[in-house]
Each structure stands twice: as C-alpha cells, then as structure tokens.
Amino acid sequence: MTKQTNVKYHIRNWPEYNKALVNRGSLTIWFSNESIEKWNAQPCSNRGRPRVYSDEAILCALMIKAVYKFPFRALRGFMLSMIGLLGLCLKVPCYTRICRRAAELGQEIKRFGSKRITDIVFDSSGLKVYGEGEWKVKKHGKSKRRTWRKIHLAVCPDSHDIALSYLGENSEADCEVVPKMTKHLPRSVKRGYGDGAYDTGSSPAQLHAFNIEPIVPPKRGAILHDLTDEPWMKSRNDAIRAIAGLGNDDQARKIWKILAGYHRRSLGETAFYRWKTIFGEKLQSRKLKNQRGEIYAKSMALNKMTALGMPKGEWVSA
C-alpha cells in the first residue's frame, strides 16, 4: 500500500505579493491623479442643468465605498476630510447625488481594460439582497423574504482580470447571458471555458459566430448533431467522440477535461472567491439599476487590486 504524500502550494513571490496586499489600502490607489484631473464634468450642449461631477468622480467614490465598506453618508464625510487634508479645491458630491448617479453606471455591458485576451472563462454566482444570515436560517429556518441576484463574470485566466460583468435576475440562465456578453468581447478571444450549464441554448451558436472555440463538457448521453444544419456543434461533436473513444465513462470524462485544458475554468471560481472575500456575499443597493452600478465599481476595484500584484507559486511535496 503506497503512502500518499502531502502536497502544498508555496508562494514564490511573497515579498512582492505582500507589498501588493499592503498597497490595496493606500488612498493614492483609489484617489489617483487621473481621478482628480477628470473630477469635474465636461461642459455639454444638452438642455437642462449641466452636471458638476464626471462619471469618473462618481466611480471613484463608489470604489472607495466598496473597498472601505462605507455607507453613503460616511463616504461623503471621508471624502470631505480626505480632500481637505490634501488641500485640493474640489467639491464633494452629496451622498444622494452619488446614489442617484450610481444608477447610471454599469447599465450596459462594457469591456474593462484594453489588454489582448485569447482565452476567457464564463461563470456565475449569487449575491444576496434580502435574507437572514446562516445562523438564523440554521436555527429557525428561512423566511419567504429572500432575494438574490445573479452575477455573471467573464474572466481572463492569464491575467485574472475581469473582462466583462453582468448582473441579472436569479432566474436568468447562464446560457441566456452568453449571447449578451460575447458581442462585447475583443476579437482576439479564441477559446471560451464554461461548465455544463453553457452546453445548452444559443451559447454554442453565439460563440461560433465570433470564432470562439467552446471548451464545455457535453452532457452525459449527448448525441451527435448534423453539422450541415448546425455547424456550431463541431466542437461539441469532437468532445463527444473523444469521450466515447476514451471509454465513455466518468474516467473518460476526467481524461478529456485534462486533455482539453478544461480545468482552467476553475479560475472563474477563484475570481468569485476573491470577490466575495473582499466585498462580501451581499449587495448593499436595493434597486437593480443601483446594484449594477455597484457591481461595475466593484469589478473595476478588483481589477485594480489584481494589477497591483498576484501570488505566483507552485505545488510541492511536503
């Protein structure tokens, strides 16, 4: 009987990663010179009262709110004191203004950043709006007033950046969101990774239309499709044939996942782990428009944290 060896993950760039973790709390990261330069809104010819604050100013306030977990009133007080200590001649928006303008951000799916991306990972998770904590549910059971939203992320597995984010109703299926997100992806994307939830609906056809190869495991008992009528099913047919050639059992599916590089999809789950560890599992806003603005700001903030530095290591035997 062989003895199993313990395997541990060792971070090799700990000094650099430790410095990046410290820098996440630096005010200069969130209140940057770029935000100061774009603080005031540009004059426009639209009718009505001109805006005082730019979208960059509102986004800066929302990112500070998300990182330091301020309520809106405390956020205004924090920004007043911060701008006063820095000696800047900038006005601070009222907390009601920040809340109203937040409903205008993140309403449309927009790409974050301009890096060249070749692979993308699709995944989703739930964020609570209303509802009790785990202790209350365990002791007394759940109540009827429990509301969730579903957040969908498109993550680059190489840089760990969030390329796209979308917040929808909890009844919206993953395969229904892929067509909404795919058209905003850069044309450099060649492979899309997702779990079995993306093996249905119009996801394969939409990915094929943008020349993206889907790395998605077919369902058990899946059948081959006629490529004359459905040419977007070629990758799926190839996966079905490969699994059948390997034995068409659970072990064959595991081997196919290794050969296809499917396990890169787990980096999407890692992104959600970082998200919920830093920002929590609950949305602070109550209306869907404001929640999308909140998600937009948190996605930008998480990408800023990722850009500061990420752990690099390897698995070694203990």
Side-chain angles (χ1 to χ4, degrees), residues 221-287:
I223 60 174
L224 298 174
H225 286 250
D226 185 2
L227 298 182
T228 305
D229 298 328
E230 299 173 310
W232 52 84
M233 288 295 185
K234 181 180 183 304
S235 296
R236 189 174 187 268
N237 285 355
D238 293 342
I240 294 172
R241 291 191 181 98
I243 294 172
L246 292 169
N248 205 22
D249 54 9
D250 290 342
Q251 186 63 27
R253 296 179 70 87
K254 291 180 180 179
I255 296 174
W256 174 83
K257 289 178 180 180
I258 295 173
L259 295 175
Y262 168 76
H263 292 296
R264 299 198 83 190
R265 187 200 63 82
S266 63
L267 295 174
E269 298 176 357
T270 304
F272 275 114
Y273 174 78
R274 293 201 312 272
W275 176 290
K276 294 186 177 182
T277 300
I278 296 171
F279 302 122
E281 301 183 5
K282 189 174 182 179
L283 290 166
Q284 300 301 319
S285 305
R286 293 292 180 260
K287 297 180 179 179

Side-chain angles (χ1 to χ4, degrees), residues 67-82:
V67 172
Y68 297 105
K69 297 180 173 60
F70 285 132
F72 278 110
R73 289 172 174 82
L75 171 64
R76 175 172 166 77
F78 177 81
M79 296 186 69
L80 282 170
S81 62
M82 178 179 62

